[in-house]
Every structure is written in structure tokens, then in C-alpha cells.
Amino acid sequence: MGKITYKRLKGSQNMRQRLLLATLKSTPVLIEDIHADDTLPGLRPHEISLLRLFEKLTDDCLIEINETGTKLKYKPGIIVGGSHLVHDCGVSRAIGYFLEPLILLGLFARKTLVIILKGITNDSKDPSVDTFRSTTFPLLKRFGVPSEGLKLEIKSRGVSPHGGGEVHLAIPTVQHLTATMWTDEGMVKRIRGEAFTTRVSVQLGNEMIYAARGIFNRLLPDVYIASDYRKRSEAGNSSGYGISLVAETTSGCCISADTTVSYPRGDEEEDIEGEEKKELIPAADVGEKLASVLLEEIEKGGVVDSTHQGLLFLLCALCVNDVSKVRVGKLSPYGIETLREIRDFLDVQFVIKPDPSTGTVILKCWGSGMKNLSRKTT
Amino acid sequence: MAMDSGADGQSHKAHRSRHSGASAKKKTKAKNKDQNSDQKQQNPKAFAFRSNAKAKRLQSRAVEKEQRRLHLPVIDRSYGELPPFVVVVQGPPQVGKSLLIKTLVKHYTKHNLPDVRGPITIVSGKQRRLQFVECPNDINGMIDAAKFADLALLLIDGSYGFEMETFEFLNILQVHGFPKVMGVLTHLDKFKDVKKLKKTKQRLKHRFWTEIYDGAKLFYLSGLIHGKYPKREVHNLARFISVMKFPPLSWRTSHPYLLVDRFEDVTPPERVQMNSKCDRNVTLYGYLRGCNLKKGTKVHIAGVGDFSLAGVTGLSDPCPLPSAAKKKGLRDKEKLFYAPMSGLGDLLYDKDAVYININDQFVQYSKVDEMGGTTNKENKRDVGEDLVKSLQAVKSPIDEKLEKTKISLFSHNDRKRRKAIFGDGVDHSNLKSTDEENEGDEDDDSDNDNDEGENDRSNEDNESCSGSEFSDGDEEDLKSEEDDRSNEDNESCSGSEFSDGDKEDLKSEEDGMGNISKWRASLVERASKKQNINLMQLVYGKSASTSNTSTNEVKDDSENEESDEDEFFKPKGQRAKNSIEGLGGGNINTEDCSKSTKISELKNWKEEEVYESIRDRFVTGDWSKGALRNQMSEAKTEEDDIDGDFEDLETGEKYESHQKDDSSNGGIQKEDDDAIEERRLKKLALRAKFDAHYDGSESPEEETDVQNGGKFHRSQANDSGYYDKLKEEIELQKQINIAELDDLDETTRLEIEGFRTGMYLRLEVHDVPFEMIEYFDPCHPILVGGIGLGEENVGYMQTRLKRHRWHKKVLKTRDPIIVSIGWRRYQTTPVYAIEDQNGRHRMLKYTPEHMHCLAMFWGPLAPPKTGVLAVQNLSNNQAAFRIIATAYVLEFNHAARIVKKIKLVGYPCKIFKKTALIKDMFTSDSKWLGLRVQQFEL
């Protein structure tokens, strides 16, 4: 065997994109100084869980972590995928954290990916599983992913401290992604959503819905928010409630927002935002605030919301050798980081042009021509 | 009429048809036939279908044939000028390959080529360039040639018949994507008997057809006249080449590649002197083909290895196509050719200099002086004798004298190579060298005047070059001024460093276009450019730091790791300092979160003005405004932004009127614009498609088909199907790509899509093994291929392999073979297996006689469906067929389970009821095998 040339990186930032791109491009990476200065140095539990997930999906991958966990050596293998896989995502981050890289990985796998993910389904930090169903999947269709195979079933919901949720995910494989010209935002024609409650009263869900509708009603009559009341085994291990909203436009764009209210996670993270204090925010306020968040996302413009910017850029960069053109609202920090990682790994740069009249940004890129190499030929 | 003809000066001669001879006979025959057919047509019922079933069968067959003809349309992503097509001339030795190239070059350029070494680029038409390459006769050269050939001319010795090389080459071509092939029969003058000749032609043609397809073109070159092929036949062959179309091949359209036509060693001479076997730095020149080449791409030099590019520069075309002016044919001046390895061609463009090569015969010496000079130096002969000599001899005596007196500056090669330097990017070393040359010239008294003439000319060249550059600059400036209006508007709206005064100034500039305004225009342009890439800079940082991470690659060593462990204990501050090298600068351990909205800072969406502000984003709002917002993107950024304060300015009526337009029926107009734009793109796509289609169906048969009513309808119906839609989509995508890429400026475009195909590139590669220099042979073309995603890794590949039917023996597992996959050739040891019915892969010791089997081997990976070719031995002196097997890649796998059936023989030493212990099954004594006897039920 020859010597392996590692791409050297630092810090735990953008771990997901780095590992994902390294796997897709099959470049070995060496990440150093991972949380080196913290009181508890080394990889966080969710990062380790992510590595385990990558190991599960790929064949012949090599992961080495030093004793303190501050240095990671990752040599990617061939993405295999497959069905009957189970992964426990732990309780330090929600399933949404794992889903974002998992979707892209699944598209370029050898076999159709069918996996059961266990952990926290709804969280305030990561996009909830409802959002994936309502917004992310339509986004993928834009890039030529067949809609038949895409499936995400929420078997049970689990919220923050103890989790206990379970989702079944199925992702088809593609030969390659097609480029898209997607600059038409359209106008919002309907708003849909889902409010869920786990181990709390149904009434809280209705309150959220009522409050959110109160805001939307001035702008749009076509608002429908379903309520999802979970109990017993379907409700996970802890109590909480949340809402996810999605605005559909006339040109088929989906703009989403979601949040969850639940008790914070033990002593590990003190510096979480103010909303997660000992007593929870009243449901009516949650509904109202989230409706405002959605309206703000709509105000920003763009064909996707700020949460999906990173994914959108990744998809554009992984297209065949054609020009993709997309319009987004203000670039989010995550989006910018993703752009940088794409440049470093895939050698794809975007042309970024502001459109000052609408306050949006238009990005153009020449796809990297990624092909699914692991798919078997007949 | 009479007046007109008088004005024209001459009337054209009318066509006089032949009344006798072969062509007249042919014509009457055809006429008779036509009449016959007409007679047949008089009773069409007689030839209608009698039976329903038969009609159905025939119809379905016709449809099936039609469908089989169709191929999945492939997008051709090469925009702009096409690179020259590569014509590989291949054949067994002594068949006339170089002679064919020489005559073809002579036909195209009217130049005599002394010898064929390396690729020869010529301009063959207004839109077309060709690159002739002679295929070397060893198997490596043939494999490489097959990978870059667009057209293969297979030369066959008609008097001898087919030789193995032809078939080997055909098989290689087939594995690596089948480019166009044309056979050429030579040595036909050796036949004395006409009948025998005819028979042989027929036989060879049919054999050729079975190998390729029925109707494959086989060309006959009847013999030699004055050591050259007959002019008429070469002309015909050139016609065949010039109308040939080259379908894109899937491997090549997805990988960039270069056929190197110039190759130089640029290692610092000190290093070579220190160690003659040190790794070298080389530069490779050639046209980029296949697909776009990005700067970070790794390349594989066939037969040498994988390298990352130390530098890529686009050079101006050494053999450019003639200008697009409308005229018939090519002028002599435009009949360029370029063959640096053969030592021919006029101009050599380097990164920072241009060399002009002048053939000796074209250099005009001031003869009188020269003669005087030479005679002075020589032992003072008689004046009369000299005169007589000069009168008698035309060329050679002078040359001899020149050689004797060492006047010829460049005595080593047959050409004069001189450097003309451009103003801008001059290397200092180059400058120095030219200075030195000049000094040397001055020192040399004897040939001073001689040189001066040349110097003058080079100076002139210099001037003309620089002049043209200046003019280019002017043009750019002008353009920028034109563009400025939009740019400057952008600025005024978005940020406004420029005051209104600027605007007015610019206006005046447009009117006046004075010299003074030029600097200003360029300033403004620069500023606007900055504005444009501002966001890009924010995201990507400065261009210098583009590859800050990728350069930090390290070789994985155990020592390296240890040293890292040593550094584990470090002061906290130092660590932090180290970490701020990166682009972000800040915390490198920020949390990885895609959600960024904070719930705490929200507007109060209950207030009316707040929610009314986004009213138009909803279907309940103003649709025209909403539409305007969406259409804004192109029109806005290019033209001008509608903004509040802009309306207040009274800059000019033109603006205002435009403004009014927008405000009055803005939305609708914009929509219209967009629709028009889309329609335009579609039209372009349709046109391109039609062109392609029309070119394809130029053959006379189809035209006659079109005249037939029924067939016409059928084809029509077929065309408007799925296939057509696919084609249309592809064309549309292509037009969109072109449109989007064209409105970027050059540098950004280069960064976005890389170097375009058709560009002449200079690749610099470092640390190449010295053998590449030492054993460089211009007759062996060098192929440089770009490595695609994931192809630089190594691993196990599973291939579906079949032993070649002409190879005598079966192949044995773990016998080393040399395979050619993608761009690479390497040696590996395969393990053969076959898939059983239960999905188990059973190992085979030998490949099956006539069946496919699986072959598993380790090596650099190639994507699935890539063709594989295997040879056992590279040596030339094998009589037998050298290709042993062909295959294609199925998948690559980390581990594939291949099981082996073994038979173990031993003696039972203890026997129980259902179990027995067996002895001596293994060579080592200590091993026993317990065996449980199964009872089979019968």
C-alpha cells in the first residue's frame, strides 16, 4: 500500500460538511485541535456518534482518534448504504444534525439506504424531522432525486433531555444530480404546519396553532396547521411541545421554520438560550414567535430558508458539469462556511452577486460533475 | 439581359453533358432504371401488402430499426473553439504511414515535411484543424494512441493483407471507446493483374467490414508517383477526413486530456549537474480536449504516473483558425501548421515570450556583403572564381561556406529560433538572455550586418505585437466605458462612493471620449469590479489564500505522528495563536448548526406596517410587484437599479424615460423580457438541434425517403417523441450554460469552470522521474489525462473479463498481467472467479475458454463501466496476438468474498457413530480434522 496523503484541517467546526465532502470525494482528512482548549477536550458525543454513522454506511473506512480525542484521522471508504441499519444518535444533538449529511451520503451510496435513527426528533438547535419531510425532500427533487424512494416516517417523537424518538429513513440512490436554475421565488400561496405535543396536554398544541394562525390570517387565508398529539410509547421519554411551519410559494419553493420547547439537557450546557429555563415558554408565545420567524424568513427572500442554504449549496456543487443558479436571502454563517468547505474539497467556487433591490443574493456555480461511483453496473 | 452580361464581363459557360463514355453510360442506365420503376409504379396495388400479418410484421420491424438507430443523446460541454481533431495514422511497419502524413501535410499546407516526429497540427479548413500523429508500433504506444485518437487511419498493405497490428489496434480502440476508423489500403501497385486486384480489394473490404460494421470506409491508394501518393487520391482522402464527424466518447467527455505536442525540461541546470538522476521539472504543451480542466486537478502522464499540476497557463493559440471573414477557402497565409517536435512551424508562444522560427531558405541574406565577408575570411581566392561560383551555384555552395565560416548562428538545428519579447510579463532571466545575445551579436564583427537585418525585423515584430496589445487595451477601455453606465448605477444605488458628479463626468466622456477620460474609465471599471467580487471576497477571502488548506497536505508517517505527540504539551496561548491562521480567524471549534435564526430578536409582526411590508410576497398582495421581484435578477444587475433617490436625480432624459417605462408597466414588461429571453434560448437550442439533425441526414437515401409520403410521416411522428424532447433539453441546458458563463469576466470564469477545451495550455509538472527526459522520444506521443473524482485512490476492482478469442491460451489466476484502464497502464495480479447460481463467487484457477468471468485485482480505481484491456507482454517480437483479454469494470469493493473449493485427502484414524477424525490432511503433523458425516436421505 502506498502512503496516504491526508488533508490537514483544524478544529471541530464544520465537522459534518468536512466528513461528508471527504467521503464523497474520498480524500483522507486529518483534523487536529478538536476542542483542545476546553475543560473537557476532545470530540463531543454527537461527533463520535456521527463518525460511527459514517463507519456504518461506508466500507473500508478508517477512523483513528488519539487518546484525548483532539485529533482525528479519517480515511473514507466506499459508500455502501443498505437496508436494516439502525443508529442511535444519542441525546446530545437531535436527529436533524445527522440527517443533513446522511441524505447526501445516501444519494451517492451503492444500495438504497434504509435506516432507523433513534434519539431526539425535535430540537430547537437543529431542523426537526418534520422540516425534513416538508421542505428538504422537495428541495432534493429539484436536483433530480426521484421522489418515490424518499421517505421519512416518524415512528415516535422524542424531545430534549431523554430523547426516545425513532424515525425510519429511506433514501434512493442517484447516478448524478442535475443542475438547476432556481431563481424564481414566487409568492407564498399556502402555509402548512404541524404542531406536536409529547407527554403534555393536547391543549398546548391547539394554543400554538391558534396563536400562529392569528399572525398569518392578516396575510393569507390558506393556512392549515395540523396537530400531532403523541402519547405513551410514541411520545418518547420526555415531555415537550413544538411547531414546524412551512410556506409554499407559487413556484414550488418551501420556506420553513420550526422550534421545540422542552426541558434542557442536564448540566452539560449552561449557556443555552434564555428560552430554555426551568419553566417553559407558554405555548401561545411559541406559536406566535415561530410564525414571526417564518415571516422573517419570507421577508429575507430566496428560494430556500436560511437553514437550508448549506444543503442547497452542496447540492449545486455536486451537480453534473452544468451551471446552477440559485437565489437565497442573506447568506447565513453556516452557508458561508459551507461555501468555503466546498471550495476546499471540491474545488468549486460560486459566483456570488448581490441583488440589492430585493436584498437577496444570486449564486452561480459550475458543478463538480460528481458521479455515483459505488453503484454497481448491471 | 445583354446589358447585365456585359456588366459582368463574362458569361458563364453552360454545362455540357456527356454524350459518350463511362459517365454517359451510367446516366442512361440510371434513366432506364427510373423508367422501369415508373412503370412499376403504374400499378401500385400490385405491390401493396396482401396479408395483414405481414404488414404488421414489416411495420414493427421498421419501427424497431428506427429505435435501434437512436442513442441516448449526450451533452457536448465544449463551448467555443474546438481543439484540433487528432488523426492517428496506424499500421504495421513499412506500410507507408509517414509518407501518408507527409503527403497529407503537403496537400494542406504546401510544405514538405522532412520527417514525422510528434504531433503535427495544421489548419485544414475555415472551421477545422487537424493534428496528425503517427502511431508507434509497440503496444504501449498503440494503447496511448487509441486513447486520444479522434480518427484512426488504419493503413493496410494491400499486397500482403491484414497484419496483427491492425487487429490489435482495432481491439484497443474498441475497449477505450470506439472513435472513427477508416481503413486505407496501400501498396496496390504491386498487383499486376487487375482481376486479382479487384478480388483482393473485395476480400479485404469484407474482412474489414466484419471487424467494424458493414459499409465501413476502406480507402484505396493505388500506388506511388515520384515517391508520393497520387495527388488526386490524397485530395479525396482529405475530403473524406474533412467531412467526418466525431461523436463524443463518454470517457473523454468526462476527463480532460492533452496530447503533448511540445515538451521541455525546465529543471534548474545546477540541480541536474549535481545529480543527473534527480527528479525533473517539465513543461508540457498541448491543446486541452475532453472537458474543462480546473487548476486543482491531478493529472496522469501515461507511462509515468500521477502528478499534481504545479502550474497551468493558457497560451495563445500557436495554430489559430483563420479569422471569421467571409470568403472562399483558405488563403495561403492562413495555411498554418505547427509541429514543434518535427522542428517546423513558425511561431512558438511561451508563457512570456514568443519565438519566431524562420526556415533557412526564407532568410534573406544581404548576399554581396556575405560573399565578401566569407571570401575575406577564406584564403583570398580569385575574384573571378568567386563570381563564377556564385553564378553557377544557387544554394549549396553558399551554405557550405556559411558552415565553414560558422556564420550560421544556429548551426545545431535547421531553424532559427529568436525571441520576441512582449512588454508585460517578461521574466528577468529571459531579458538577460536576450541582452546577452545582443551583446554577442555586437561582438561578432563578421556577421554583424547580417544580424542587423534580422534584428530589425524582430524589432518590427516587437512593435507590431505591442501595438496590437495597446489597441486591445483601448478596446477594453472603450468597452468599459460603455459598460460603465450600468456599473456606476449599481454603485450609486448600493453604496455610493461615487458622487453624482462622477456620473456626469462619465456622461461627458461618452460624448467626448477624450484621452483624459481613459484613465478615469479604467479606474471606475476597477472599482466596479471590486464591488462585484466583494461578496466573493468576503466568502472566499483573497485569492492567494485559496488553497491554504489543500497545500497543507502531509505524508502520513509514523514519525510524523510521534513528533505530533511530542508537541502535545503546549502553552495554552500558543495553541490559540496557531489556530488563528485559518481563514475564519475566530474560533475553530464553533458549533456546527445549520439553523441560525434567533427567536429573541424578532419584529413585531402584528403591527400593520410591518406585515404590510411583505404583503407582496404573498398571493394576496400585488402580483405584478411580486413578479417584478422575481424577474429583477438579470435585468437589474445588468442595467440599472430602480431606487428612490435615483428618480430624484435629473441626470438625463434617457434615464428618466426608461424609469417611467419601468414604473408604468414595469412588471409586465419585465415578464415579457424574461419570456423573450427564454424564447430566444429555446430558439437557439432548436436551431442547434436542427443543424445537428440536418447534418446527420445528409445522405441521399434519406432525402429520397422524405419524398416518399408515408415514410415522411412516420419519421415525423417519431421525431416528436421522447428522444426529441431529451435532445431539446440538452440543447437548452447548453445554451443556458453558455449564456450564464459569458456574462462573467475572464478571471472569474476561469476560476469557476476552469480552462476551456480547445485552449492551448502549458502545464508545469514538478518532480518527474528523470527517465521521462532521458528516454523521451518524439515519435512516442505523450498523453496527459486528468484524473476524475475518486480515481486517484487505490483499491480492489471487480471486472467482467473475457479472454480474447485469438489468444491461444487460457489465463491463470495470479499470473501478472498488464492492464490498461482509463488513462493508466499498470501491472497487476488478477484473481479469476465465477458467480455461481447461489450468488457465491467461486475462484477459478483458469479463465473459462469461451465465457466471461469475474476478475478481481488491485490498482488505482476507475469508475464502473470503464473498459479494460489486458496484455501479458509488452515486447514487440511476438508473432501471436498480443491482447489477451478485454473487460470492463463492474464495481470497486473493499472486500469481495471469493471462495475456493479444495479437496482434502486423509486417512480416518478414529471413527465414531457419526463423527470421524481424519489424519494427514494437512502437511503439518499436528492438525486433525473432525468430520461429521452427514446422512443423505435418498
Side-chain angles (χ1 to χ4, degrees), chain A residues 108-135:
Chain A
F108 289 99
R110 175 179 299 160
K111 283 175 270 179
T112 315
L113 176 67
V114 179
I115 190 168
I116 297 170
L117 296 169
K118 287 177 181 167
I120 299 170
T121 56
N122 295 66
D123 192 1
S124 57
K125 247 191 220 168
D126 292 301
S128 70
V129 285
D130 304 286
T131 308
F132 275 94
R133 237 180 359 185
S134 64
T135 316

Short mmCIF file of all heavy atoms in Angstrom, two decimals, chain A residues 108-135:
data_model
loop_
_atom_site.label_atom_id
_atom_site.label_comp_id
_atom_site.label_asym_id
_atom_site.label_seq_id
_atom_site.Cartn_x
_atom_site.Cartn_y
_atom_site.Cartn_z
N PHE A 108 -25.47 9.03 -2.87
CA PHE A 108 -24.31 8.52 -3.61
C PHE A 108 -23.87 7.15 -3.11
O PHE A 108 -22.72 6.78 -3.24
CB PHE A 108 -23.16 9.52 -3.53
CG PHE A 108 -23.43 10.76 -4.34
CD1 PHE A 108 -23.89 11.91 -3.74
CD2 PHE A 108 -23.23 10.76 -5.71
CE1 PHE A 108 -24.16 13.03 -4.49
CE2 PHE A 108 -23.50 11.88 -6.46
CZ PHE A 108 -23.96 13.02 -5.85
N ALA A 109 -24.80 6.43 -2.49
CA ALA A 109 -24.44 5.12 -1.97
C ALA A 109 -24.61 4.05 -3.04
O ALA A 109 -25.17 4.30 -4.10
CB ALA A 109 -25.31 4.80 -0.77
N ARG A 110 -24.11 2.88 -2.73
CA ARG A 110 -24.23 1.78 -3.70
C ARG A 110 -25.65 1.24 -3.72
O ARG A 110 -26.22 1.02 -4.76
CB ARG A 110 -23.25 0.67 -3.33
CG ARG A 110 -23.40 -0.55 -4.21
CD ARG A 110 -22.41 -1.62 -3.86
NE ARG A 110 -21.06 -1.15 -4.03
CZ ARG A 110 -20.01 -1.70 -3.47
NH1 ARG A 110 -20.17 -2.73 -2.66
NH2 ARG A 110 -18.81 -1.22 -3.66
N LYS A 111 -26.18 1.04 -2.49
CA LYS A 111 -27.53 0.48 -2.41
C LYS A 111 -28.44 1.49 -1.74
O LYS A 111 -27.98 2.38 -1.02
CB LYS A 111 -27.48 -0.81 -1.58
CG LYS A 111 -26.94 -1.98 -2.36
CD LYS A 111 -26.80 -3.19 -1.48
CE LYS A 111 -25.44 -3.24 -0.84
NZ LYS A 111 -25.22 -4.37 0.05
N THR A 112 -29.71 1.34 -1.97
CA THR A 112 -30.68 2.23 -1.35
C THR A 112 -30.52 2.18 0.17
O THR A 112 -30.39 1.12 0.75
CB THR A 112 -32.10 1.78 -1.71
OG1 THR A 112 -32.12 1.50 -3.09
CG2 THR A 112 -33.09 2.86 -1.39
N LEU A 113 -30.53 3.35 0.76
CA LEU A 113 -30.29 3.43 2.19
C LEU A 113 -31.62 3.39 2.93
O LEU A 113 -32.51 4.20 2.67
CB LEU A 113 -29.55 4.72 2.51
CG LEU A 113 -29.28 5.03 3.97
CD1 LEU A 113 -28.31 4.03 4.55
CD2 LEU A 113 -28.75 6.43 4.12
N VAL A 114 -31.74 2.43 3.83
CA VAL A 114 -32.91 2.39 4.71
C VAL A 114 -32.38 2.28 6.13
O VAL A 114 -31.69 1.32 6.46
CB VAL A 114 -33.81 1.18 4.39
CG1 VAL A 114 -35.00 1.17 5.34
CG2 VAL A 114 -34.28 1.24 2.96
N ILE A 115 -32.65 3.24 6.94
CA ILE A 115 -32.02 3.27 8.25
C ILE A 115 -33.02 3.75 9.30
O ILE A 115 -33.90 4.56 9.02
CB ILE A 115 -30.75 4.17 8.22
CG1 ILE A 115 -29.94 4.01 9.49
CG2 ILE A 115 -31.09 5.62 7.95
CD1 ILE A 115 -28.57 4.62 9.41
N ILE A 116 -32.85 3.20 10.49
CA ILE A 116 -33.67 3.63 11.62
C ILE A 116 -32.79 4.50 12.51
O ILE A 116 -31.71 4.06 12.93
CB ILE A 116 -34.19 2.42 12.41
CG1 ILE A 116 -35.10 1.58 11.51
CG2 ILE A 116 -34.94 2.88 13.65
CD1 ILE A 116 -35.47 0.26 12.12
N LEU A 117 -33.22 5.71 12.74
CA LEU A 117 -32.45 6.61 13.59
C LEU A 117 -33.20 6.81 14.90
O LEU A 117 -34.41 7.04 14.91
CB LEU A 117 -32.24 7.96 12.89
CG LEU A 117 -31.44 7.93 11.60
CD1 LEU A 117 -31.54 9.26 10.90
CD2 LEU A 117 -29.98 7.61 11.89
N LYS A 118 -32.46 6.71 16.00
CA LYS A 118 -33.09 6.86 17.30
C LYS A 118 -32.47 8.04 18.02
O LYS A 118 -31.25 8.25 17.93
CB LYS A 118 -32.89 5.59 18.12
CG LYS A 118 -33.74 4.45 17.63
CD LYS A 118 -33.45 3.20 18.42
CE LYS A 118 -34.31 2.07 17.89
NZ LYS A 118 -33.83 0.77 18.42
N GLY A 119 -33.26 8.76 18.74
CA GLY A 119 -32.73 9.89 19.50
C GLY A 119 -33.76 10.97 19.62
O GLY A 119 -34.95 10.70 19.78
N ILE A 120 -33.28 12.22 19.52
CA ILE A 120 -34.18 13.36 19.67
C ILE A 120 -34.70 13.75 18.30
O ILE A 120 -33.91 14.05 17.40
CB ILE A 120 -33.44 14.54 20.31
CG1 ILE A 120 -32.94 14.14 21.69
CG2 ILE A 120 -34.31 15.76 20.39
CD1 ILE A 120 -32.01 15.11 22.30
N THR A 121 -35.98 13.73 18.13
CA THR A 121 -36.51 14.08 16.82
C THR A 121 -36.67 15.58 16.66
O THR A 121 -36.47 16.12 15.58
CB THR A 121 -37.87 13.42 16.57
OG1 THR A 121 -38.74 13.81 17.62
CG2 THR A 121 -37.75 11.93 16.51
N ASN A 122 -37.05 16.26 17.72
CA ASN A 122 -37.29 17.69 17.63
C ASN A 122 -36.42 18.43 18.63
O ASN A 122 -36.27 18.00 19.77
CB ASN A 122 -38.75 18.01 17.90
CG ASN A 122 -39.64 17.43 16.85
OD1 ASN A 122 -39.74 16.20 16.72
ND2 ASN A 122 -40.27 18.28 16.08
N ASP A 123 -35.87 19.53 18.16
CA ASP A 123 -34.90 20.25 18.95
C ASP A 123 -34.96 21.70 18.48
O ASP A 123 -35.41 21.98 17.38
CB ASP A 123 -33.51 19.65 18.68
CG ASP A 123 -32.50 20.16 19.67
OD1 ASP A 123 -32.90 20.93 20.56
OD2 ASP A 123 -31.32 19.79 19.55
N SER A 124 -34.49 22.60 19.31
CA SER A 124 -34.50 23.99 18.86
C SER A 124 -33.24 24.33 18.08
O SER A 124 -33.17 25.33 17.39
CB SER A 124 -34.65 24.92 20.06
OG SER A 124 -33.60 24.66 20.96
N LYS A 125 -32.21 23.48 18.16
CA LYS A 125 -30.94 23.78 17.51
C LYS A 125 -30.90 23.30 16.07
O LYS A 125 -30.33 23.93 15.20
CB LYS A 125 -29.83 23.07 18.28
CG LYS A 125 -28.88 24.01 18.97
CD LYS A 125 -27.71 23.23 19.45
CE LYS A 125 -27.26 23.68 20.80
NZ LYS A 125 -26.30 22.74 21.38
N ASP A 126 -31.45 22.13 15.86
CA ASP A 126 -31.36 21.52 14.54
C ASP A 126 -32.74 21.49 13.91
O ASP A 126 -33.75 21.49 14.61
CB ASP A 126 -30.84 20.09 14.66
CG ASP A 126 -29.41 20.07 15.12
OD1 ASP A 126 -28.57 20.66 14.43
OD2 ASP A 126 -29.14 19.51 16.19
N PRO A 127 -32.77 21.46 12.59
CA PRO A 127 -34.08 21.35 11.94
C PRO A 127 -34.77 20.06 12.37
O PRO A 127 -34.11 19.02 12.52
CB PRO A 127 -33.73 21.33 10.45
CG PRO A 127 -32.28 21.10 10.37
CD PRO A 127 -31.68 21.59 11.62
N SER A 128 -36.03 20.16 12.56
CA SER A 128 -36.76 18.99 13.06
C SER A 128 -37.04 18.03 11.91
O SER A 128 -36.89 18.36 10.74
CB SER A 128 -38.07 19.43 13.69
OG SER A 128 -38.93 19.88 12.69
N VAL A 129 -37.45 16.86 12.27
CA VAL A 129 -37.72 15.85 11.25
C VAL A 129 -38.91 16.25 10.39
O VAL A 129 -38.99 15.89 9.22
CB VAL A 129 -37.95 14.46 11.88
CG1 VAL A 129 -36.64 13.88 12.33
CG2 VAL A 129 -38.92 14.53 13.01
N ASP A 130 -39.83 17.01 10.95
CA ASP A 130 -40.98 17.48 10.16
C ASP A 130 -40.48 18.37 9.02
O ASP A 130 -40.97 18.29 7.90
CB ASP A 130 -41.93 18.30 11.03
CG ASP A 130 -42.37 17.53 12.23
OD1 ASP A 130 -43.19 16.63 12.06
OD2 ASP A 130 -41.87 17.81 13.34
N THR A 131 -39.53 19.22 9.35
CA THR A 131 -38.98 20.12 8.33
C THR A 131 -38.34 19.33 7.20
O THR A 131 -38.46 19.68 6.04
CB THR A 131 -37.94 21.05 8.97
OG1 THR A 131 -38.53 21.64 10.10
CG2 THR A 131 -37.50 22.10 8.01
N PHE A 132 -37.67 18.26 7.55
CA PHE A 132 -37.04 17.44 6.50
C PHE A 132 -38.09 16.90 5.55
O PHE A 132 -37.91 16.88 4.34
CB PHE A 132 -36.25 16.29 7.13
CG PHE A 132 -34.87 16.70 7.52
CD1 PHE A 132 -34.59 17.12 8.79
CD2 PHE A 132 -33.86 16.69 6.59
CE1 PHE A 132 -33.33 17.52 9.13
CE2 PHE A 132 -32.59 17.09 6.92
CZ PHE A 132 -32.32 17.51 8.21
N ARG A 133 -39.19 16.48 6.15
CA ARG A 133 -40.24 15.91 5.32
C ARG A 133 -40.87 16.97 4.43
O ARG A 133 -41.14 16.75 3.26
CB ARG A 133 -41.30 15.28 6.21
CG ARG A 133 -41.46 13.85 5.84
CD ARG A 133 -42.45 13.08 6.62
NE ARG A 133 -43.17 13.75 7.67
CZ ARG A 133 -44.00 13.10 8.46
NH1 ARG A 133 -44.16 11.81 8.31
NH2 ARG A 133 -44.65 13.72 9.41
N SER A 134 -41.11 18.13 5.03
CA SER A 134 -41.90 19.12 4.31
C SER A 134 -41.07 19.99 3.37
O SER A 134 -41.57 20.47 2.37
CB SER A 134 -42.64 20.01 5.30
OG SER A 134 -41.70 20.74 6.06
N THR A 135 -39.82 20.20 3.68
CA THR A 135 -39.03 21.18 2.94
C THR A 135 -37.82 20.57 2.24
O THR A 135 -37.54 20.88 1.09
CB THR A 135 -38.54 22.28 3.90
OG1 THR A 135 -39.61 22.65 4.73
CG2 THR A 135 -38.04 23.47 3.13
#
